[in-house]
PDB file of all heavy atoms in Angstrom:
ATOM      1  N   ASN A 290     -16.647   1.932   8.128  1.00 97.00           N
ATOM      2  CA  ASN A 290     -15.715   2.796   8.840  1.00 97.00           C
ATOM      3  C   ASN A 290     -14.359   2.129   9.014  1.00 97.00           C
ATOM      4  O   ASN A 290     -13.305   2.795   8.986  1.00 97.00           O
ATOM      5  CB  ASN A 290     -16.316   3.171  10.199  1.00 97.00           C
ATOM      6  CG  ASN A 290     -17.478   4.133  10.061  1.00 97.00           C
ATOM      7  OD1 ASN A 290     -17.711   4.696   8.974  1.00 97.00           O
ATOM      8  ND2 ASN A 290     -18.195   4.334  11.139  1.00 97.00           N
ATOM      9  N   GLN A 293     -12.583   2.628   5.897  1.00 97.00           N
ATOM     10  CA  GLN A 293     -12.114   3.998   5.718  1.00 97.00           C
ATOM     11  C   GLN A 293     -10.845   4.256   6.522  1.00 97.00           C
ATOM     12  O   GLN A 293      -9.898   4.851   6.051  1.00 97.00           O
ATOM     13  CB  GLN A 293     -13.218   4.974   6.125  1.00 97.00           C
ATOM     14  CG  GLN A 293     -12.782   6.455   5.931  1.00 97.00           C
ATOM     15  CD  GLN A 293     -13.954   7.399   6.066  1.00 97.00           C
ATOM     16  OE1 GLN A 293     -15.075   7.090   5.755  1.00 97.00           O
ATOM     17  NE2 GLN A 293     -13.688   8.596   6.520  1.00 97.00           N
ATOM     18  N   ASP A 294     -10.857   3.754   7.752  1.00 95.00           N
ATOM     19  CA  ASP A 294      -9.658   3.916   8.560  1.00 95.00           C
ATOM     20  C   ASP A 294      -8.486   3.143   7.946  1.00 95.00           C
ATOM     21  O   ASP A 294      -7.320   3.574   8.024  1.00 95.00           O
ATOM     22  CB  ASP A 294      -9.901   3.376   9.972  1.00 95.00           C
ATOM     23  CG  ASP A 294     -10.920   4.243  10.740  1.00 95.00           C
ATOM     24  OD1 ASP A 294     -11.144   5.395  10.314  1.00 95.00           O
ATOM     25  OD2 ASP A 294     -11.517   3.728  11.719  1.00 95.00           O
ATOM     26  N   LEU A 297      -6.056   4.724   5.573  1.00 93.00           N
ATOM     27  CA  LEU A 297      -4.961   5.523   6.113  1.00 93.00           C
ATOM     28  C   LEU A 297      -3.910   4.700   6.807  1.00 93.00           C
ATOM     29  O   LEU A 297      -2.740   5.068   6.817  1.00 93.00           O
ATOM     30  CB  LEU A 297      -5.541   6.495   7.128  1.00 93.00           C
ATOM     31  CG  LEU A 297      -6.621   7.442   6.556  1.00 93.00           C
ATOM     32  CD1 LEU A 297      -7.212   8.302   7.644  1.00 93.00           C
ATOM     33  CD2 LEU A 297      -6.049   8.300   5.449  1.00 93.00           C
ATOM     34  N   ASN A 312     -14.925  -0.129  -6.203  1.00 94.00           N
ATOM     35  CA  ASN A 312     -15.146   0.494  -7.535  1.00 94.00           C
ATOM     36  C   ASN A 312     -14.104   0.051  -8.551  1.00 94.00           C
ATOM     37  O   ASN A 312     -14.013   0.606  -9.632  1.00 94.00           O
ATOM     38  CB  ASN A 312     -15.212   2.013  -7.421  1.00 94.00           C
ATOM     39  CG  ASN A 312     -13.943   2.620  -6.899  1.00 94.00           C
ATOM     40  OD1 ASN A 312     -12.947   1.913  -6.693  1.00 94.00           O
ATOM     41  ND2 ASN A 312     -13.952   3.910  -6.646  1.00 94.00           N
ATOM     42  N   SER A 318      -9.605   4.224  -1.887  1.00 96.00           N
ATOM     43  CA  SER A 318      -9.771   5.654  -1.731  1.00 96.00           C
ATOM     44  C   SER A 318     -11.148   5.982  -1.173  1.00 96.00           C
ATOM     45  O   SER A 318     -11.979   5.084  -0.927  1.00 96.00           O
ATOM     46  CB  SER A 318      -9.574   6.398  -3.065  1.00 96.00           C
ATOM     47  OG  SER A 318     -10.620   5.985  -3.959  1.00 96.00           O
ATOM     48  N   ALA A 319     -11.394   7.265  -0.970  1.00 97.00           N
ATOM     49  CA  ALA A 319     -12.676   7.715  -0.422  1.00 97.00           C
ATOM     50  C   ALA A 319     -13.815   7.305  -1.317  1.00 97.00           C
ATOM     51  O   ALA A 319     -14.937   7.101  -0.810  1.00 97.00           O
ATOM     52  CB  ALA A 319     -12.627   9.235  -0.244  1.00 97.00           C
ATOM     53  N   SER A 320     -13.580   7.169  -2.599  1.00 97.00           N
ATOM     54  CA  SER A 320     -14.671   6.795  -3.492  1.00 97.00           C
ATOM     55  C   SER A 320     -15.142   5.389  -3.219  1.00 97.00           C
ATOM     56  O   SER A 320     -16.338   5.102  -3.379  1.00 97.00           O
ATOM     57  CB  SER A 320     -14.217   6.948  -4.957  1.00 97.00           C
ATOM     58  OG  SER A 320     -13.119   6.136  -5.183  1.00 97.00           O
ATOM     59  N   TYR A 323     -17.480   5.839  -0.204  1.00 98.00           N
ATOM     60  CA  TYR A 323     -18.761   6.431  -0.629  1.00 98.00           C
ATOM     61  C   TYR A 323     -19.641   5.366  -1.303  1.00 98.00           C
ATOM     62  O   TYR A 323     -20.824   5.270  -1.064  1.00 98.00           O
ATOM     63  CB  TYR A 323     -18.533   7.624  -1.533  1.00 98.00           C
ATOM     64  CG  TYR A 323     -19.796   8.197  -2.101  1.00 98.00           C
ATOM     65  CD1 TYR A 323     -20.687   8.896  -1.311  1.00 98.00           C
ATOM     66  CD2 TYR A 323     -20.148   8.000  -3.447  1.00 98.00           C
ATOM     67  CE1 TYR A 323     -21.855   9.408  -1.825  1.00 98.00           C
ATOM     68  CE2 TYR A 323     -21.323   8.479  -3.970  1.00 98.00           C
ATOM     69  CZ  TYR A 323     -22.162   9.214  -3.146  1.00 98.00           C
ATOM     70  OH  TYR A 323     -23.346   9.712  -3.671  1.00 98.00           O
ATOM     71  N   THR A 324     -18.991   4.571  -2.185  1.00 97.00           N
ATOM     72  CA  THR A 324     -19.748   3.558  -2.908  1.00 97.00           C
ATOM     73  C   THR A 324     -20.364   2.550  -1.918  1.00 97.00           C
ATOM     74  O   THR A 324     -21.499   2.125  -2.074  1.00 97.00           O
ATOM     75  CB  THR A 324     -18.817   2.842  -3.884  1.00 97.00           C
ATOM     76  OG1 THR A 324     -18.307   3.805  -4.835  1.00 97.00           O
ATOM     77  CG2 THR A 324     -19.514   1.731  -4.629  1.00 97.00           C
ATOM     78  N   HIS A 326     -21.230   3.100   1.167  1.00 98.00           N
ATOM     79  CA  HIS A 326     -22.379   3.699   1.881  1.00 98.00           C
ATOM     80  C   HIS A 326     -23.612   3.746   0.984  1.00 98.00           C
ATOM     81  O   HIS A 326     -24.741   3.498   1.429  1.00 98.00           O
ATOM     82  CB  HIS A 326     -22.021   5.099   2.326  1.00 98.00           C
ATOM     83  CG  HIS A 326     -21.213   5.131   3.595  1.00 98.00           C
ATOM     84  ND1 HIS A 326     -21.723   4.653   4.813  1.00 98.00           N
ATOM     85  CD2 HIS A 326     -19.959   5.554   3.865  1.00 98.00           C
ATOM     86  CE1 HIS A 326     -20.801   4.835   5.736  1.00 98.00           C
ATOM     87  NE2 HIS A 326     -19.719   5.330   5.186  1.00 98.00           N
ATOM     88  N   GLN A 327     -23.408   4.098  -0.313  1.00 97.00           N
ATOM     89  CA  GLN A 327     -24.594   4.138  -1.181  1.00 97.00           C
ATOM     90  C   GLN A 327     -25.144   2.762  -1.415  1.00 97.00           C
ATOM     91  O   GLN A 327     -26.348   2.582  -1.515  1.00 97.00           O
ATOM     92  CB  GLN A 327     -24.188   4.811  -2.514  1.00 97.00           C
ATOM     93  CG  GLN A 327     -23.769   6.268  -2.339  1.00 97.00           C
ATOM     94  CD  GLN A 327     -24.782   7.041  -1.510  1.00 97.00           C
ATOM     95  OE1 GLN A 327     -25.944   7.198  -1.881  1.00 97.00           O
ATOM     96  NE2 GLN A 327     -24.360   7.556  -0.351  1.00 97.00           N
ATOM     97  N   ARG A 329     -25.055   0.454   0.806  1.00 96.00           N
ATOM     98  CA  ARG A 329     -25.755   0.190   2.088  1.00 96.00           C
ATOM     99  C   ARG A 329     -27.131   0.849   2.105  1.00 96.00           C
ATOM    100  O   ARG A 329     -28.085   0.267   2.620  1.00 96.00           O
ATOM    101  CB  ARG A 329     -24.907   0.739   3.246  1.00 96.00           C
ATOM    102  CG  ARG A 329     -25.517   0.652   4.607  1.00 96.00           C
ATOM    103  CD  ARG A 329     -24.544   1.116   5.666  1.00 96.00           C
ATOM    104  NE  ARG A 329     -24.230   2.515   5.576  1.00 96.00           N
ATOM    105  CZ  ARG A 329     -24.944   3.495   6.138  1.00 96.00           C
ATOM    106  NH1 ARG A 329     -25.999   3.177   6.847  1.00 96.00           N
ATOM    107  NH2 ARG A 329     -24.566   4.744   6.009  1.00 96.00           N
ATOM    108  N   HIS A 330     -27.215   2.032   1.543  1.00 97.00           N
ATOM    109  CA  HIS A 330     -28.498   2.742   1.551  1.00 97.00           C
ATOM    110  C   HIS A 330     -29.459   2.210   0.459  1.00 97.00           C
ATOM    111  O   HIS A 330     -30.606   2.624   0.399  1.00 97.00           O
ATOM    112  CB  HIS A 330     -28.265   4.232   1.295  1.00 97.00           C
ATOM    113  CG  HIS A 330     -27.675   4.948   2.459  1.00 97.00           C
ATOM    114  ND1 HIS A 330     -28.316   4.964   3.714  1.00 97.00           N
ATOM    115  CD2 HIS A 330     -26.550   5.652   2.634  1.00 97.00           C
ATOM    116  CE1 HIS A 330     -27.577   5.678   4.579  1.00 97.00           C
ATOM    117  NE2 HIS A 330     -26.500   6.087   3.934  1.00 97.00           N
ATOM    118  N   ASN A 332     -29.051   2.728  -2.764  1.00 95.00           N
ATOM    119  CA  ASN A 332     -29.093   3.649  -3.899  1.00 95.00           C
ATOM    120  C   ASN A 332     -29.053   2.846  -5.206  1.00 95.00           C
ATOM    121  O   ASN A 332     -28.099   2.111  -5.455  1.00 95.00           O
ATOM    122  CB  ASN A 332     -27.911   4.624  -3.758  1.00 95.00           C
ATOM    123  CG  ASN A 332     -27.885   5.667  -4.879  1.00 95.00           C
ATOM    124  OD1 ASN A 332     -28.581   5.522  -5.914  1.00 95.00           O
ATOM    125  ND2 ASN A 332     -27.132   6.714  -4.680  1.00 95.00           N
ATOM    126  N   PHE A 335     -26.136   2.281  -7.445  1.00 95.00           N
ATOM    127  CA  PHE A 335     -25.057   1.429  -6.999  1.00 95.00           C
ATOM    128  C   PHE A 335     -25.546   0.012  -6.819  1.00 95.00           C
ATOM    129  O   PHE A 335     -24.977  -0.749  -6.012  1.00 95.00           O
ATOM    130  CB  PHE A 335     -24.442   1.970  -5.725  1.00 95.00           C
ATOM    131  CG  PHE A 335     -23.716   3.274  -5.935  1.00 95.00           C
ATOM    132  CD1 PHE A 335     -24.378   4.476  -5.852  1.00 95.00           C
ATOM    133  CD2 PHE A 335     -22.346   3.276  -6.228  1.00 95.00           C
ATOM    134  CE1 PHE A 335     -23.736   5.682  -6.080  1.00 95.00           C
ATOM    135  CE2 PHE A 335     -21.684   4.481  -6.457  1.00 95.00           C
ATOM    136  CZ  PHE A 335     -22.390   5.665  -6.384  1.00 95.00           C
TER     137      PHE A 335
ATOM    138  N   LYS B  65     -18.749  14.199  -3.104  1.00 98.00           N
ATOM    139  CA  LYS B  65     -19.321  13.311  -2.064  1.00 98.00           C
ATOM    140  C   LYS B  65     -18.322  12.994  -0.959  1.00 98.00           C
ATOM    141  O   LYS B  65     -18.667  12.427   0.064  1.00 98.00           O
ATOM    142  CB  LYS B  65     -19.799  11.997  -2.640  1.00 98.00           C
ATOM    143  CG  LYS B  65     -20.629  12.167  -3.917  1.00 98.00           C
ATOM    144  CD  LYS B  65     -21.943  12.887  -3.631  1.00 98.00           C
ATOM    145  CE  LYS B  65     -22.810  12.936  -4.899  1.00 98.00           C
ATOM    146  NZ  LYS B  65     -24.117  13.569  -4.623  1.00 98.00           N
ATOM    147  N   GLN B  68     -10.213  13.273   0.113  1.00 98.00           N
ATOM    148  CA  GLN B  68      -9.063  12.756   0.816  1.00 98.00           C
ATOM    149  C   GLN B  68      -7.840  13.573   0.432  1.00 98.00           C
ATOM    150  O   GLN B  68      -7.662  13.961  -0.695  1.00 98.00           O
ATOM    151  CB  GLN B  68      -8.865  11.265   0.560  1.00 98.00           C
ATOM    152  CG  GLN B  68      -8.462  10.925  -0.847  1.00 98.00           C
ATOM    153  CD  GLN B  68      -8.177   9.436  -1.023  1.00 98.00           C
ATOM    154  OE1 GLN B  68      -9.002   8.603  -0.678  1.00 98.00           O
ATOM    155  NE2 GLN B  68      -7.020   9.137  -1.574  1.00 98.00           N
ATOM    156  N   TYR B  94     -18.241  10.809   7.773  1.00 98.00           N
ATOM    157  CA  TYR B  94     -17.340  10.088   8.653  1.00 98.00           C
ATOM    158  C   TYR B  94     -15.906  10.561   8.309  1.00 98.00           C
ATOM    159  O   TYR B  94     -15.489  10.567   7.139  1.00 98.00           O
ATOM    160  CB  TYR B  94     -17.431   8.602   8.488  1.00 98.00           C
ATOM    161  CG  TYR B  94     -16.558   7.811   9.407  1.00 98.00           C
ATOM    162  CD1 TYR B  94     -16.825   7.750  10.774  1.00 98.00           C
ATOM    163  CD2 TYR B  94     -15.425   7.099   8.955  1.00 98.00           C
ATOM    164  CE1 TYR B  94     -16.028   7.033  11.653  1.00 98.00           C
ATOM    165  CE2 TYR B  94     -14.623   6.403   9.799  1.00 98.00           C
ATOM    166  CZ  TYR B  94     -14.942   6.364  11.165  1.00 98.00           C
ATOM    167  OH  TYR B  94     -14.124   5.656  12.004  1.00 98.00           O
ATOM    168  N   SER B  96     -11.863  10.155   8.911  1.00 97.00           N
ATOM    169  CA  SER B  96     -10.732   9.342   9.350  1.00 97.00           C
ATOM    170  C   SER B  96      -9.456  10.150   9.201  1.00 97.00           C
ATOM    171  O   SER B  96      -9.284  10.838   8.185  1.00 97.00           O
ATOM    172  CB  SER B  96     -10.590   8.076   8.490  1.00 97.00           C
ATOM    173  OG  SER B  96     -11.683   7.211   8.691  1.00 97.00           O
ATOM    174  N   THR B  97      -8.616  10.057  10.218  1.00 98.00           N
ATOM    175  CA  THR B  97      -7.316  10.715  10.096  1.00 98.00           C
ATOM    176  C   THR B  97      -6.233   9.793  10.597  1.00 98.00           C
ATOM    177  O   THR B  97      -6.502   8.887  11.345  1.00 98.00           O
ATOM    178  CB  THR B  97      -7.299  12.008  10.983  1.00 98.00           C
ATOM    179  OG1 THR B  97      -7.496  11.647  12.336  1.00 98.00           O
ATOM    180  CG2 THR B  97      -8.373  12.986  10.542  1.00 98.00           C
ATOM    181  N   ASN B  98      -5.078  10.080  10.093  1.00 97.00           N
ATOM    182  CA  ASN B  98      -3.892   9.296  10.558  1.00 97.00           C
ATOM    183  C   ASN B  98      -2.719  10.250  10.646  1.00 97.00           C
ATOM    184  O   ASN B  98      -2.443  10.996   9.682  1.00 97.00           O
ATOM    185  CB  ASN B  98      -3.640   8.178   9.579  1.00 97.00           C
ATOM    186  CG  ASN B  98      -2.377   7.402   9.953  1.00 97.00           C
ATOM    187  OD1 ASN B  98      -1.316   7.623   9.342  1.00 97.00           O
ATOM    188  ND2 ASN B  98      -2.425   6.566  10.937  1.00 97.00           N
ATOM    189  N   LYS B 107      -2.912  12.399   7.311  1.00 98.00           N
ATOM    190  CA  LYS B 107      -3.796  11.974   6.233  1.00 98.00           C
ATOM    191  C   LYS B 107      -5.238  12.157   6.682  1.00 98.00           C
ATOM    192  O   LYS B 107      -5.583  11.825   7.802  1.00 98.00           O
ATOM    193  CB  LYS B 107      -3.535  10.519   5.846  1.00 98.00           C
ATOM    194  CG  LYS B 107      -2.130  10.284   5.324  1.00 98.00           C
ATOM    195  CD  LYS B 107      -1.909   8.790   5.066  1.00 98.00           C
ATOM    196  CE  LYS B 107      -0.467   8.504   4.609  1.00 98.00           C
ATOM    197  NZ  LYS B 107      -0.246   7.061   4.437  1.00 98.00           N
ATOM    198  N   VAL B 109      -9.400  11.622   5.498  1.00 98.00           N
ATOM    199  CA  VAL B 109     -10.443  11.147   4.601  1.00 98.00           C
ATOM    200  C   VAL B 109     -11.772  11.519   5.177  1.00 98.00           C
ATOM    201  O   VAL B 109     -12.031  11.226   6.350  1.00 98.00           O
ATOM    202  CB  VAL B 109     -10.398   9.604   4.370  1.00 98.00           C
ATOM    203  CG1 VAL B 109     -11.510   9.162   3.471  1.00 98.00           C
ATOM    204  CG2 VAL B 109      -9.044   9.162   3.840  1.00 98.00           C
ATOM    205  N   THR B 113     -21.896   9.962   4.396  1.00 98.00           N
ATOM    206  CA  THR B 113     -22.457   8.680   4.741  1.00 98.00           C
ATOM    207  C   THR B 113     -23.953   8.621   4.605  1.00 98.00           C
ATOM    208  O   THR B 113     -24.557   7.590   4.888  1.00 98.00           O
ATOM    209  CB  THR B 113     -22.105   8.303   6.186  1.00 98.00           C
ATOM    210  OG1 THR B 113     -22.640   9.313   7.056  1.00 98.00           O
ATOM    211  CG2 THR B 113     -20.593   8.244   6.387  1.00 98.00           C
ATOM    212  N   GLY B 114     -24.555   9.733   4.203  1.00 97.00           N
ATOM    213  CA  GLY B 114     -25.994   9.765   4.114  1.00 97.00           C
ATOM    214  C   GLY B 114     -26.531   9.171   2.828  1.00 97.00           C
ATOM    215  O   GLY B 114     -25.797   8.656   1.966  1.00 97.00           O
ATOM    216  N   SER B 115     -27.853   9.238   2.653  1.00 97.00           N
ATOM    217  CA  SER B 115     -28.494   8.571   1.519  1.00 97.00           C
ATOM    218  C   SER B 115     -28.929   9.509   0.413  1.00 97.00           C
ATOM    219  O   SER B 115     -29.402   9.085  -0.615  1.00 97.00           O
ATOM    220  CB  SER B 115     -29.731   7.827   2.023  1.00 97.00           C
ATOM    221  OG  SER B 115     -30.648   8.715   2.623  1.00 97.00           O
ATOM    222  N   THR B 117     -28.978  11.618  -2.771  1.00 95.00           N
ATOM    223  CA  THR B 117     -28.235  11.523  -4.037  1.00 95.00           C
ATOM    224  C   THR B 117     -27.788  12.881  -4.522  1.00 95.00           C
ATOM    225  O   THR B 117     -27.041  12.972  -5.495  1.00 95.00           O
ATOM    226  CB  THR B 117     -29.064  10.816  -5.102  1.00 95.00           C
ATOM    227  OG1 THR B 117     -30.304  11.524  -5.269  1.00 95.00           O
ATOM    228  CG2 THR B 117     -29.362   9.395  -4.714  1.00 95.00           C
ATOM    229  N   VAL B 156     -14.563  12.525  -4.436  1.00 98.00           N
ATOM    230  CA  VAL B 156     -15.441  11.445  -4.841  1.00 98.00           C
ATOM    231  C   VAL B 156     -16.535  12.020  -5.734  1.00 98.00           C
ATOM    232  O   VAL B 156     -17.241  12.952  -5.322  1.00 98.00           O
ATOM    233  CB  VAL B 156     -16.070  10.730  -3.646  1.00 98.00           C
ATOM    234  CG1 VAL B 156     -16.947   9.569  -4.092  1.00 98.00           C
ATOM    235  CG2 VAL B 156     -14.956  10.215  -2.697  1.00 98.00           C
ATOM    236  N   ALA B 158     -20.098  11.680  -8.026  1.00 97.00           N
ATOM    237  CA  ALA B 158     -21.416  11.052  -7.787  1.00 97.00           C
ATOM    238  C   ALA B 158     -21.467   9.617  -8.271  1.00 97.00           C
ATOM    239  O   ALA B 158     -22.289   8.823  -7.816  1.00 97.00           O
ATOM    240  CB  ALA B 158     -22.511  11.884  -8.477  1.00 97.00           C
ATOM    241  N   GLY B 160     -19.149   7.503  -7.771  1.00 96.00           N
ATOM    242  CA  GLY B 160     -18.361   6.653  -6.918  1.00 96.00           C
ATOM    243  C   GLY B 160     -16.959   6.429  -7.427  1.00 96.00           C
ATOM    244  O   GLY B 160     -16.366   5.388  -7.154  1.00 96.00           O
ATOM    245  N   THR B 161     -16.433   7.390  -8.161  1.00 95.00           N
ATOM    246  CA  THR B 161     -15.057   7.242  -8.681  1.00 95.00           C
ATOM    247  C   THR B 161     -14.228   8.422  -8.173  1.00 95.00           C
ATOM    248  O   THR B 161     -14.750   9.416  -7.638  1.00 95.00           O
ATOM    249  CB  THR B 161     -15.065   7.255 -10.206  1.00 95.00           C
ATOM    250  OG1 THR B 161     -15.756   8.408 -10.691  1.00 95.00           O
ATOM    251  CG2 THR B 161     -15.766   6.008 -10.745  1.00 95.00           C
ATOM    252  N   ASP B 162     -12.920   8.300  -8.400  1.00 96.00           N
ATOM    253  CA  ASP B 162     -11.990   9.322  -7.902  1.00 96.00           C
ATOM    254  C   ASP B 162     -11.791  10.403  -8.988  1.00 96.00           C
ATOM    255  O   ASP B 162     -11.824  10.132 -10.160  1.00 96.00           O
ATOM    256  CB  ASP B 162     -10.612   8.701  -7.614  1.00 96.00           C
ATOM    257  CG  ASP B 162     -10.721   7.645  -6.531  1.00 96.00           C
ATOM    258  OD1 ASP B 162     -11.420   7.904  -5.508  1.00 96.00           O
ATOM    259  OD2 ASP B 162     -10.097   6.577  -6.674  1.00 96.00           O
TER     260      ASP B 162
END
Side-chain angles (χ1 to χ4, degrees):
Chain A
N290 289 349
Q293 182 168 328
D294 294 341
L297 303 176
N312 61 6
S318 66
S320 58
Y323 174 72
T324 298
H326 278 297
Q327 295 311 298
R329 175 176 65 87
H330 287 302
N332 183 343
F335 292 86
Chain B
K65 313 295 185 178
Q68 66 175 54
Y94 183 71
S96 293
T97 61
N98 176 258
K107 297 176 182 176
V109 179
T113 61
S115 60
T117 57
V156 181
T161 55
D162 300 317

